Amino acid sequence: MSVLVYTENWSGKFKKLSYEIVSFAAAIAKEMGSPVTALSIGHVADDELKSLGKYGANKVLNVQDDRFESLDNKALADAVAKAAESESAKVVIFAHNNEGKAIAPRVSVKLNAGLVTGVTGLPVSVDPFVVRKKVFTGKAFANIQIKTDVKVITFAQNSYEVVETPTDTAIEAFDPQISDGEFNTVVKDTHLITGKVLLTDAEIVVSGGRGMKGPENWGGLEELGELLGAGMACSRPVSDEGWRSHEEHVGQTGKIIAPNLYLAFGISGAIQHLGGVNSSKYIVAINKDPEAPIFEASDYGIVGDAFKVIPQLIEAVKEMKANK
Amino acid sequence: MKILVLISNVPDTTTKIRFTGDNKAFDATGVQWIINPWDELALTRAMELKEAGGVEKITVANVGAKITEPTLRKALAVGADDAIRIDAEPLDAYFVATQLAEVAKDYDLILAGIEASDYNGAGVGGMLAEMMGINSVSAVSGIDLENGELKIHRDIDGGSQVLTVPTPLVAIVQKGIAIDPRIPAMRGIMMARKKPLNVVPPVDAEARTEFLTYELPAPKAACKMVDEDNAKELVRLLREEAKVL
Ligand SMILES: Cc1cc2nc3c(=O)[nH]c(=O)nc-3n(C[C@H](O)[C@H](O)[C@H](O)COP(=O)(O)OP(=O)(O)OC[C@H]3O[C@@H](n4cnc5c(N)ncnc54)[C@H](O)[C@@H]3O)c2cc1C
Ligand SMILES: Cc1cc2nc3c(=O)[nH]c(=O)nc-3n(C[C@H](O)[C@H](O)[C@H](O)COP(=O)(O)OP(=O)(O)OC[C@H]3O[C@@H](n4cnc5c(N)ncnc54)[C@H](O)[C@@H]3O)c2cc1C
């Protein structure tokens, strides 16, 4: 019996998310009285794999097979299911991101397991196995019981603190024995965004809406973003108008983010917009309309003209950094 | 090429969410039902591909009770050729996928949304592909059809890729798949009345999850207001009180 956690690496390195999800798995395993096995697919150096032990992984299954680089959903699911079987895993955990969402549903079918995605914290109880998640796009929470013997869950990023529980970690090579015929995804072209803070990784996000009036007015927001090491976001009309790239659109029909701080300039706070940002720890709104619904969802606010506030904020942040 | 678009019937995105009976069930009183936004965009893209040639037929399918028929009619009005309703209360993603697997066999391309905006399960598309033993690609942000071959655009963490994947294929779509959803025109609405909407009985399947209770989020504390010309105070609060700077 064990808890299996699927880890991703970025060019051979783990990120905060990897440690967060291993910490989360370790906490569940502790409640169940079982060990934690981490699965790593790709070329990750032993030292880096060992670092998972700091967060509670008792064992790391290391799959080194270049064929998985195409992220073929079917082959990956097969590999994870084989690892789960060889470890007699009772709970299999993925991150609730592109890769996790792609593979977890397939794995759940393979393992005859029930699936709950986007789990926002430790299980309410492990026997019966009840987890909590957001439903209705952030407008409510649900407590859901998984009734099968094996459970598959995906974990919502930024909903568990990284905790260190140093453990001895054994690294084992693992060959899931997937035949060539299972790999059917052929990558023709890859485009990576470089030199920018990824929106889904960002701890601070600076976001602009239609109140910014036009693409020529983003200079101040970008400067503020750079000073804060923030990711940039926008409301849907802003990306629809082509003022900003579609990559930056957040909301129900865009990216769903959960940074520590979300700064909204000239955004009214429509329900569909809030659906993408309401998991942020703190929301700050700058809007000239005191009745704008964004203030109801915010922790701090300024009623005022964004064009006046932005330069002042830049100065204030510069001053803060100088005194740090 | 034949395309199947999976349609989830969900409350309008502005619905005020309430629960009944000790918070054990969603209160559907007075709710307006719509096509799940992702499914609407998937159908829009399917229509565009059909208009460009190379697609013979577009079918839409839903697992749901009779109340979902207006939603399916709307999909027909947008331009789907026919519709299938599997007559069952959808219990969870596993139950839904099991039902869909029965009707999805004849299609080359199956389009599912990344998640339904009600229960946010993010499960049906991938489960269906696994049950059928076929390929799937998730986070799909574009689909092109060039000389009978599909080019799939997908988002990956920190970028995007262009892929080829053999059919039959389940593409799980998200932002970018189409920009503006098609709205049915009068002519489409008239034609939709005559298009086939086939009702099929469900197969036996059990749900693997059970939604026990719901809660509304705790009301947010009042927003702390700072003067327009006091950005410095805002920075101080974020730093000293919220501790996020
Ligand atoms: C099915 C569906 C899905 C949707 N999905 C999304 C989504 O994913 N994301 C999303 O964002 N929207 C989404 N929308 C659209 C959403 O309903 C709103 O229309 C949109 O969020 C409004 O964007 P906005 O706040 O930038 O613009 P507006 O609503 O026009 O608000 C502009 C705000 O700027 C303020 N303002 C103007 N000038 C200034 C100034 N000088 N200084 C300060 N403030 C100023 C105004 O007071 C106003 O509050 C969706 C809608 C539907 C129907
Ligand atoms: C407690 C509970 C109560 C429910 N009550 C109702 C109800 O009263 N009325 C009702 O209509 N539904 C109801 N549902 C069903 C729900 O709307 C979904 O259809 C089903 O649970 C799958 O949801 P999901 O969030 O896992 O879908 P996801 O996996 O998030 O959906 C992804 C995609 O799968 C496809 N898909 C999802 N559901 C269906 C479906 N039913 N038919 C065809 N394609 C689909 C769509 O393409 C969708 O974009 C209920 C579900 C639960 C859990």
Side-chain angles (χ1 to χ4, degrees), chain B residues 6-9 36 39 61-63 68 89-93 96 100 112-113 115-116 118-124 211 214:
Chain B
L6 307 182
I7 303 285
S8 173
N9 176 59
N36 186 39
D39 304 345
N62 168 262
V63 181
T68 72
E89 283 294 341
L91 303 171
D92 73 348
V96 168
L100 291 168
E115 65 175 38
D118 50 4
Y119 296 91
N120 306 137
V124 169
F211 286 64
Y214 299 90

Side-chain angles (χ1 to χ4, degrees), chain A residues 10 106 133 136 188 300, chain B residues 118 120 130 157 160 162 241:
Chain A
W10 288 263
R106 298 197 72 128
K133 73 169 287 187
F136 296 96
K188 297 284 181 188
Y300 299 100
Chain B
D118 50 4
N120 306 137
E130 189 61 44
D157 199 37
S160 57
V162 183
E241 196 175 84

Side-chain angles (χ1 to χ4, degrees), chain B residues 137-166:
Chain B
V137 182
S138 184
V140 170
S141 57
I143 299 177
D144 298 320
L145 188 56
E146 290 169 12
N147 308 320
E149 194 187 38
L150 288 171
K151 286 236 153 50
I152 310 286
H153 302 252
R154 84 165 156 205
D155 288 349
I156 54 170
D157 199 37
S160 57
Q161 292 183 318
V162 183
L163 316 169
T164 58
V165 191

Side-chain angles (χ1 to χ4, degrees), chain A residues 208-213 234-238 240 243 249-255 262 265-276 286-294 302-308, chain B residues 12-14 34-35 37-38 40 175 181:
Chain A
R210 198 145 53 182
M212 294 304 296
K213 307 282 191 290
C234 68
S235 67
R236 185 167 93 172
V238 166
D240 283 354
W243 297 357
H249 161 196
V250 293
Q252 180 158 357
T253 48
K255 288 205 171 76
Y262 182 74
F265 295 87
I267 293 177
S268 60
I271 192 100
Q272 300 94 350
H273 183 82
L274 297 175
I286 287 88
N287 195 304
K288 68 174 185 191
D289 173 9
E291 304 294 325
I294 185 85
I302 295 182
V303 175
D305 182 351
F307 297 101
K308 285 196 196 136
Chain B
D12 178 273
T13 52
T14 55
I34 59 165
I35 304 177
W38 302 121
E40 199 178 22
K175 185 178 160 51

Side-chain angles (χ1 to χ4, degrees), chain B residues 41-58:
Chain B
L41 292 174
L43 176 60
T44 300
R45 186 62 193 150
M47 290 298 302
E48 291 165 358
L49 293 174
K50 190 173 178 215
E51 284 152 11
V55 176
E56 285 157 56
K57 182 170 113 158
I58 300 170

